[in-house]
Amino acid sequence: MNLALWICAGLLAAVALFGGIVKTFVPTAKLAASPGGAWVGAAGAGFVKTLGVLEILAAAGLILPAVLDIAPVMVPVTAVCWVVLMVGAIVTHVRQGELVSVAANLVYLALAVFVAWGRFGPGSF
C-alpha cells in the first residue's frame, strides 16, 4: 500500500511540476494556441501564472513533507487541494469541449483521491 501511495504521489507531483512550469514560464498566447489550451484565452494571464505557481507548490507538497518528515500531514492535505483543482479543471474543460483533457483530469482526480484516502487512512505517516 505504501509503495502504491508513493508511486501515485510521485506521478501527481511530476504532472503538477510540469504543468506548473509550463503555465508559469510559457507565454499565455502560446499556451492558448496549444491543444487543450482554449481555456487560457478566456482566463487572464495573471490567473494562469497563479495556477502555475500553485501547481509547483502542489508538487512540493505531495513529496517534500513526507521525505523530510516535517508536517507529513501536508501530503494528504495537498492531495485534497489537488482534488479541488481537478474538479475545477474538469468543469473548465467540459465547458470548452476538450474531452481529452477531461479524461486526463479524471485520471489525476482518481490518483489524488487515492493518495488523500490512503495518507489520511490506512497508509498514514
Side-chain angles (χ1 to χ4, degrees):
M1 175 73 139
N2 190 44
L3 180 61
L5 289 167
W6 272 108
I7 290 170
C8 289
L11 288 171
L12 283 176
V15 167
L17 185 61
F18 177 75
I21 289 171
V22 168
K23 286 178 187 78
T24 303
F25 299 110
V26 174
T28 53
K30 188 172 182 182
L31 281 176
S34 67
W39 68 273
V40 176
F47 179 75
V48 175
K49 301 295 182 201
T50 301
L51 277 178
V53 170
L54 289 174
E55 288 183 18
I56 292 169
L57 291 173
L62 286 165
I63 301 295
L64 292 180
V67 169
L68 300 175
D69 198 28
I70 300 173
V73 72
M74 290 308 296
V75 172
V77 170
T78 303
V80 169
C81 292
W82 190 258
V83 167
V84 172
L85 183 68
M86 287 301 102
V87 169
I90 290 167
V91 169
T92 300
H93 289 298
V94 165
R95 287 182 180 169
Q96 296 291 329
E98 300 167 341
L99 298 181
V100 173
S101 295
V102 171
N105 291 140
L106 284 170
V107 171
Y108 305 146
L109 175 71
L111 290 172
V113 167
F114 176 67
V115 170
W117 169 80
R119 291 302 182 200
F120 273 130
S124 63
F125 295 109

